[in-house]
């Protein structure tokens, strides 16, 4: 590798039904060498076509107005390319919406009131395999989970935990403390690909679709201490 060799930019598709909002996002990415806005769409049909054709790294879904690019479109957008990771940008601070977004497959949720720098950081984190949610919303999200679910783990959840090996439980704990795949590999002296294999096994055993859902599950069953929870 030479010093002049460049890293491929993060390829982003922007979804918003307001033309002026998309123009603002376009300016945000215009001078970013490590990110590239490869496509944009203002309705669901066009969005599905673009995602299928362009296979972006990140799907950036901005919810500003009612329409067919609303919240309910998230599962369809994710199915259009399973390797794309979706980040929801919203003005809502409703923890129920956050929880529903996570359960629908979103790997990040960013408030519209945040700075552009926060959004850019969220994109980088989600692209690297981490999850992103507003720290200010974590407590509300956990309170919502606690309120809507039994106080103690269910028998089914306990059975899921029992299926996890000691190493898998260790990886869940490290994820809960904010470590990404590379950091976990370094911490427990295994390769990054081995960490990913473990994660695939963990997701299947506890019936979750990604890191955010895994963190919520881990919190519920006591594998992660709420005071250490890092999202």
């Amino acid at each position: 590798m030479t010093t002049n060799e460049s890293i491929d930019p993060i390829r982003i598709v922007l979804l918003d039904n307001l033309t002026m909002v998309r123009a603002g996002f376009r300016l945000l990415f215009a001078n970013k060498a490590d990110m590239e806005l490869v496509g944009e769409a203002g309705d669901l049909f066009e969005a599905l076509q673009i995602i299928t054709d362009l296979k972006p790294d990140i799907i950036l879904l901005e919810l500003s107005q009612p329409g067919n690019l609303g919240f309910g479109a998230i599962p369809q957008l994710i199915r259009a390319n399973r390797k794309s990771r979706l980040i929801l940008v919203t003005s809502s601070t409703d923890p129920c919406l956050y929880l529903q977004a996570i359960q629908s497959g979103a790997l990040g949720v960013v408030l519209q009131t945040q700075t552009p720098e926060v959004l850019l950081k969220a994109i980088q984190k989600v692209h690297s395999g981490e999850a992103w949610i507003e720290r200010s919303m974590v407590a509300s999200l956990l309170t919502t989970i606690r309120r809507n679910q039994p106080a103690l783990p269910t028998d089914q959840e306990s059975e899921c935990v029992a299926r996890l090996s000691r190493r898998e439980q260790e990886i869940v704990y490290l994820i809960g403390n904010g470590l990404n795949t590379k950091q976990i590999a370094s911490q427990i002296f295994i390769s990054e690909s081995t960490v990913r294999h473990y994660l695939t096994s963990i997701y299947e055993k506890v019936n979750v679709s990604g890191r955010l859902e895994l963190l919520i599950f881990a919190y519920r069953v006591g594998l992660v201490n709420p005071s250490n929870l890092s999202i």
Side-chain angles (χ1 to χ4, degrees):
M1 180 183 294
T2 66
T3 55
N4 293 327
E5 186 174 347
S6 61
I7 299 174
D8 291 337
I10 301 171
R11 302 173 68 255
I12 301 166
V13 160
L14 170 63
L15 308 180
D16 190 291
N17 60 355
L18 296 180
T19 304
M20 290 184 67
V21 173
R22 296 205 306 272
F25 276 102
R26 205 178 302 130
L27 289 174
L28 175 62
F29 298 116
N31 297 316
K32 294 293 296 177
D34 59 342
M35 298 181 188
E36 180 184 5
L37 187 59
V38 297
E40 55 184 84
D43 65 75
L44 180 58
F45 177 79
E46 184 182 9
L48 294 174
Q49 190 65 53
I50 286 176
I51 293 168
T52 301
D53 292 344
L54 299 180
K55 297 177 174 55
D57 301 309
I58 296 290
I59 301 168
L60 197 60
L61 175 61
E62 205 274 342
L63 296 184
S64 55
Q65 296 290 330
N68 64 7
L69 266 179
F71 185 83
I74 291 177
Q76 295 179 69
L77 297 171
I78 292 173
R79 285 196 299 269
N81 180 39
R82 293 288 186 180
K83 293 185 178 180
S84 298
R85 293 165 176 165
L86 188 142
I87 297 176
L88 179 68
V89 181
T90 177
S91 61
S92 175
T93 56
D94 181 359
C96 292
L97 183 143
Y98 278 51
L99 181 58
Q100 191 177 353
I102 293 164
Q103 292 172 333
S104 296
L107 290 178
V109 185
V110 179
L111 281 171
Q112 291 174 345
T113 52
Q114 285 286 10
T115 64
E117 288 73 23
V118 170
L119 175 60
L120 296 175
K121 184 177 181 181
I123 291 171
Q124 291 169 336
K125 291 289 187 180
V126 171
H127 178 255
S128 69
E130 299 182 50
W132 181 276
I133 200 168
E134 299 293 331
R135 289 188 180 276
S136 61
M137 291 299 299
V138 172
S140 297
L141 178 60
L142 296 183
T143 299
T144 300
I145 296 167
R146 190 182 299 116
R147 184 173 61 243
N148 293 339
Q149 295 185 345
L152 296 174
T154 64
D155 290 342
Q156 184 177 7
E157 288 172 331
S158 297
E159 290 174 4
C160 288
V161 173
R163 296 189 197 114
L164 298 176
S165 68
R166 184 180 297 273
R167 174 66 90 185
E168 289 170 338
Q169 291 187 28
E170 181 182 16
I171 289 173
V172 173
Y173 174 81
L174 294 174
I175 288 175
N177 281 272
L179 275 66
N180 61 29
T181 301
K182 183 175 182 179
Q183 291 167 330
I184 292 171
S186 176
Q187 176 103 358
I188 59 178
F189 307 106
I190 60 177
S191 69
E192 291 182 49
S193 62
T194 301
V195 173
R196 286 190 285 269
H197 285 311
Y198 271 120
L199 283 173
T200 299
S201 173
I202 291 167
Y203 294 159
E204 182 176 348
K205 287 181 179 180
V206 303
N207 193 30
V208 299
S209 60
R211 291 196 183 207
L212 279 175
E213 277 195 77
L214 176 60
L215 285 171
I216 292 171
F217 171 85
Y219 162 74
R220 282 268 310 127
V221 300
L223 290 178
V224 173
N225 188 322
S227 63
N228 296 333
L229 191 60
S230 175
I231 301 182

